[in-house]
Amino acid sequence: QVQLQQSGPGLVKPSQTLSLTCAISGDTVSRNSAAWNWIRQSPSRGLEWLGRTYYRSKWYNDYAVSVKSRITINPDTSKNQFSLQLNSVTPEDTAVYYCARVVGSAYNWFDPWGQGTLVTVSS
Amino acid sequence: QSVLTQPPSVSGAPGRRVTISCTGSSSNIGAGYDVHWYQHLPGTAPKLLIYGNSNRPSGVPDRFSGSKSGTSASLAITGLQAEDEADYYCQSYDISLSGSVFGGGTKLTVL
């Protein structure tokens, strides 16, 4: 059974960097048919896919247009986890952040999801 | 402002049937991309309910069913139970945005 365990601070100051980690058990971050995603949910924006990292003989990343200039998702094969960094945050980035796996096509479903991390951007 | 449109709320009495619609466009559902559905209870991780328009993962009761036609999809829940009270979200892929998109969510109230 695949499980995703998130960690990271729940409070970030405006203009600073939001950093979260998602530890994987029961699967491998470098699995050739999986992609590892970050999604957030806020009252104003609903559920919003942020981006993904995946391995297909080499590492690739895809990012949502809305955050493309500020986001980095990195795999860590030594710890079997992946991370999210979102730079220059504003209160608009306040949301519950989830990590999630997709197997197969990029058009497929997210399963499982991490437990979610509420990140508040405030001074 | 969500790419996929869902009704904000639906309700039904125990034992009854409800449906939740998910309307997209020619760049997502209408382009042939599959629709997936999630059940979300506050404070928990979203749970996959239906994948590939109409398929149920192991463990999901057959009271839940999904369908897709044109630029829309629907989730039907029969034999409503109190435990079904939750938020439900649809998800698809959008070729214009080059990424996954979600509906705004529908709150189901069991009367």
Side-chain angles (χ1 to χ4, degrees):
Chain A
Q1 179 186 357
V2 179
Q3 292 186 322
L4 304 178
Q5 182 67 39
Q6 299 176 218
S7 60
L11 180 63
V12 182
K13 288 182 167 49
S15 80
Q16 294 194 343
T17 297
L18 180 160
S19 295
L20 296 174
T21 298
C22 183
I24 304 163
S25 59
D27 202 343
T28 306
V29 69
S30 55
R31 179 180 165 188
N32 221 22
S33 57
W36 305 94
N37 300 259
W38 286 99
I39 297 158
R40 67 182 178 184
Q41 182 178 30
S42 65
S44 60
R45 302 173 74 99
L47 279 167
E48 180 183 17
W49 173 79
L50 299 176
R52 63 179 185 151
T53 188
Y54 56 102
Y55 184 76
R56 303 289 186 268
S57 302
K58 67 174 186 176
W59 288 101
Y60 293 89
N61 290 298
D62 295 320
Y63 299 129
V65 171
S66 59
V67 295
K68 195 167 188 174
S69 63
R70 302 191 291 131
I71 189 173
T72 303
I73 297 176
N74 281 324
D76 183 342
T77 56
S78 65
K79 295 182 179 179
N80 200 30
Q81 62 187 30
F82 61 108
S83 63
L84 166 69
Q85 286 193 308
L86 189 63
N87 303 325
S88 306
V89 296
T90 72
E92 277 283 298
D93 294 309
T94 295
V96 178
Y97 286 76
Y98 295 97
C99 58
R101 181 189 70 167
V102 171
V103 173
S105 164
Y107 320 139
N108 282 350
W109 53 94
F110 299 100
D111 184 56
W113 296 57
Q115 80 275 23
T117 302
L118 173 60
V119 178
T120 302
V121 179
S122 174
S123 55
Chain B
Q1 60 277 30
S2 297
V3 175
L4 306 178
T5 301
Q6 298 180 234
S9 63
V10 298
S11 62
R16 305 291 286 186
R17 178 181 186 270
V18 295
T19 61
I20 299 172
S21 61
C22 174
T23 303
S25 68
S26 58
S27 63
N28 41 68
I29 299 174
Y33 295 108
D34 286 343
V35 178
H36 320 296
W37 291 90
Y38 303 88
Q39 181 188 60
H40 191 202
L41 295 165
T44 69
K47 171 190 171 185
L48 179 67
L49 204 60
I50 297 287
Y51 66 92
N53 305 317
S54 59
N55 301 291
R56 282 187 309 276
S58 171
V60 173
D62 60 6
R63 301 186 297 105
F64 295 90
S65 63
S67 63
K68 174 191 159 184
S69 178
T71 58
S72 295
S74 288
L75 173 70
I77 310 172
T78 59
L80 271 179
Q81 300 180 3
E83 67 202 47
D84 298 334
E85 198 163 273
D87 296 324
Y88 293 84
Y89 293 88
C90 59
Q91 174 233 325
S92 187
Y93 185 87
D94 192 288
I95 190 65
S96 299
L97 298 173
S98 298
S100 294
V101 291
F102 292 90
T106 299
K107 181 175 181 59
L108 168 64
T109 301
V110 180
L111 301 171

